[in-house]
Amino acid sequence: MVTDAAQILVASNRGPVSYSPDGKGGLDARRGGGGLVSGLSAIGSDAQSLWVCAALGDGDREAVRRGVSEPGVRMLAIDPALHSDAYNGIANSVLWFVHHMLYQTPLEPVFGREFRRQWDAYRAYNRAFAEALAADAAEGAAVLVQDYHLALVPGMLRQLRPDLRIGHFSHTPWAPADYFGLLPDDVAEELLRGMLGADRLGFLTRRWADAFAACCERVTGGTGTTEIGVHGLGADADFLRERAHRPDVEERMAQLREQVGEGRRTIVRVDRTELSKNIVRGLLAYEELLETRPEWRERVVHIALAYPSRQDLAVYRDYTAEVSRLSAEINERYGTPGWTPVVVHVKDDFARSLAAYRLADVALVNPIRDGMNLVAKEVPVVSDAGCALVLSREAGAYWDLGEDAITINPYDVTGTAEALHAALTMPAPERAERTKRLSSSATSLPPRRWFLDQLEALRR
């Protein structure tokens, strides 16, 4: 029996706080946001909660070494080399690629000795989390494990602490059974059985939940006693609307208006430069719009907020460079002294993102594949004058918003260009009405409710 232990535990690779040197020999703590943070705050003081996460940088590891911590947070000082193998080698370079179906199969994946070495690291990484959770959980506690980084934790934790209520939530898509079959058979089975150690598994859409079940049917003979649930994370309307009208957002709006120019329409996208976000095809579609619909030249500007992601991986660096190269090429080909067709910002700036949301006449959300995509849900919530949404049918958000969006095949550049034209020419009353319905659908399960629904379901 564990005493003085937590009743509710969350486990994730990235935690709610990060540390950096303050320049005076101390450490600054920066608190994050998001659904899990607000969900834990909604639990109240009737139950002790704990967030178990990895120390991700030198500041975090120094905080662990010094014994510096925030209430309710336990950071694990996992060896940096082991973390890199587990996080970059397996989670982001294998599991992410499988679930987003991103491999160029004539050349990749290659599951040889190096993969096996990194899989051992992934297993050890998950083991460290399972042991920490087992040590800190009260008898019968509820444990909510997050995402593909920690897919083995439920099974490991079940062996260590069979008394616990264990949940796991997948924030990504889940691969169809045939594509999941790219993984070595023993690894695929270990991954699925690891997740099936949970009492309950959560997914963002029924499509991803059914794909998981199909993989289990093929590999393990079914999902056994594990319950499968769907919780479609929505936008936090109250927070977004309040935050979108602060002075720093107004300042960014003035800057963007100056860059766009008077009287021009705007097509907005806000993404990290992840391979799944399909930014390059979005730019190619915009280029085709300008080429085939010359009436839009000097009348529209594409605001592309493309924030670099995972730049420690060469394939992501190359992709980010291609986004910059193509944007410059479009500007050189079509731009005029008074008009820049593509306005690109690469420095992560939440206030600028909200400003772009408010200014958007059209929002372009065209991922190859996405677990949900909150941008699609956030733009209609804060749009000032109503916004037409051009949305990939491969985004999880499609299942909530597709009826009032202009739906596209994310690979069809010509079709996307035609959708952009349709969005730009949509009558204002129709656009306003669609935005109202999109906003209602987008906020039906806000982050706090999304988290608490999972917790309540797990405890039942």
Side-chain angles (χ1 to χ4, degrees), residues 9 14-15 71 109 143 150 174 190 226 272 283 336 339 378 380:
L9 300 93
R14 183 178 299 278
V143 181
L150 301 175
W174 192 272
E190 184 178 357
T226 301
R272 299 203 171 277
L283 287 166
T336 65
W339 173 57
E378 290 171 350

Side-chain angles (χ1 to χ4, degrees), residues 25-159:
L27 294 168
D28 282 330
R30 181 180 179 185
R31 194 83 180 181
L36 291 172
V37 175
S38 61
L40 272 177
S41 69
I43 293 168
S45 58
D46 61 324
Q48 185 181 354
S49 62
L50 180 70
W51 194 318
V52 178
C53 58
L56 296 183
D58 291 340
D60 289 354
R61 285 187 283 273
E62 180 62 17
V64 175
R65 191 185 70 78
R66 296 186 190 182
V68 175
S69 64
E70 299 289 303
V73 178
R74 178 181 173 185
M75 277 190 176
L76 306 181
I78 293 167
D79 177 78
L82 187 144
H83 181 270
S84 179
D85 283 335
Y87 180 75
N88 288 325
I90 298 297
N92 287 343
S93 295
V94 176
L95 301 183
W96 178 273
F97 273 66
V98 168
H99 290 318
H100 290 83
M101 302 170 65
L102 290 174
Y103 279 123
Q104 299 181 57
T105 52
L107 296 174
E108 54 185 13
V110 177
F111 296 130
R113 289 192 305 274
E114 178 63 6
F115 165 77
R116 292 291 176 172
R117 186 189 67 80
Q118 292 180 326
W119 183 255
D120 286 342
Y122 180 80
R123 189 185 289 124
Y125 181 67
N126 278 250
R127 172 67 63 181
F129 271 85
E131 290 174 350
L133 292 164
D136 288 333
E139 193 77 20
V143 181
L144 294 106
V145 182
Q146 304 299 311
D147 229 356
Y148 60 102
H149 314 93
L150 301 175
L152 302 181
V153 166
M156 293 173 170
L157 186 57
R158 175 67 61 214
Q159 291 182 334

Side-chain angles (χ1 to χ4, degrees), residues 207-394:
R207 181 184 180 187
W208 312 141
D210 288 347
F212 174 83
C215 290
C216 290
E217 197 65 38
R218 178 177 295 189
V219 177
T220 66
T223 57
T225 59
T226 301
E227 181 185 342
I228 308 294
V230 174
H231 302 271
L233 176 63
D236 188 343
D238 292 340
F239 165 74
L240 287 169
R241 287 171 179 146
E242 185 278 325
R243 182 67 183 85
H245 289 85
R246 292 185 192 174
D248 60 341
V249 177
E250 300 288 352
E251 180 184 328
R252 302 305 193 282
M253 286 183 70
Q255 294 167 354
L256 287 174
R257 283 196 185 100
E258 186 175 346
Q259 291 177 308
V260 169
E262 191 67 35
R264 293 190 174 116
R265 311 297 297 281
T266 58
I267 299 170
V268 166
R269 78 170 308 131
V270 179
D271 285 304
R272 299 203 171 277
T273 55
E274 291 171 356
L275 308 184
S276 60
K277 298 300 185 183
N278 210 21
I279 301 171
V280 169
R281 287 192 189 88
L283 287 166
L284 290 172
Y286 178 63
E287 181 179 39
E288 188 158 323
L289 173 74
L290 298 179
E291 183 62 30
T292 60
R293 303 276 187 174
E295 65 268 27
W296 286 114
R297 297 179 193 175
E298 300 203 66
R299 292 181 54 214
V300 66
V301 170
H302 185 14
I303 300 174
L305 307 187
Y307 302 138
S309 175
R310 298 177 184 168
Q311 295 300 288
D312 46 353
L313 298 176
V315 65
Y316 284 86
R317 293 195 298 272
D318 293 345
Y319 189 77
T320 302
E322 178 60 13
V323 169
S324 297
R325 187 202 65 77
L326 184 54
S327 299
E329 184 180 282
I330 293 171
N331 285 337
E332 184 176 351
R333 181 174 180 184
Y334 296 100
T336 65
W339 173 57
T340 303
V342 184
V343 171
V344 179
H345 288 280
V346 297
K347 183 180 179 183
D348 197 343
D349 185 330
F350 185 52
R352 185 188 289 122
S353 298
L354 291 173
Y357 289 176
R358 288 181 58 188
L359 288 174
D361 295 300
V362 177
L364 175 58
V365 181
N366 68 320
I368 294 168
R369 197 167 163 85
D370 218 336
M372 178 53 68
N373 196 294
L374 279 179
V375 170
K377 293 189 169 186
E378 290 171 350
V379 177
V381 173
V382 300
S383 170
D384 280 358
C387 176
L389 176 62
V390 175
L391 179 63
S392 167
R393 67 191 185 198
E394 296 302 314

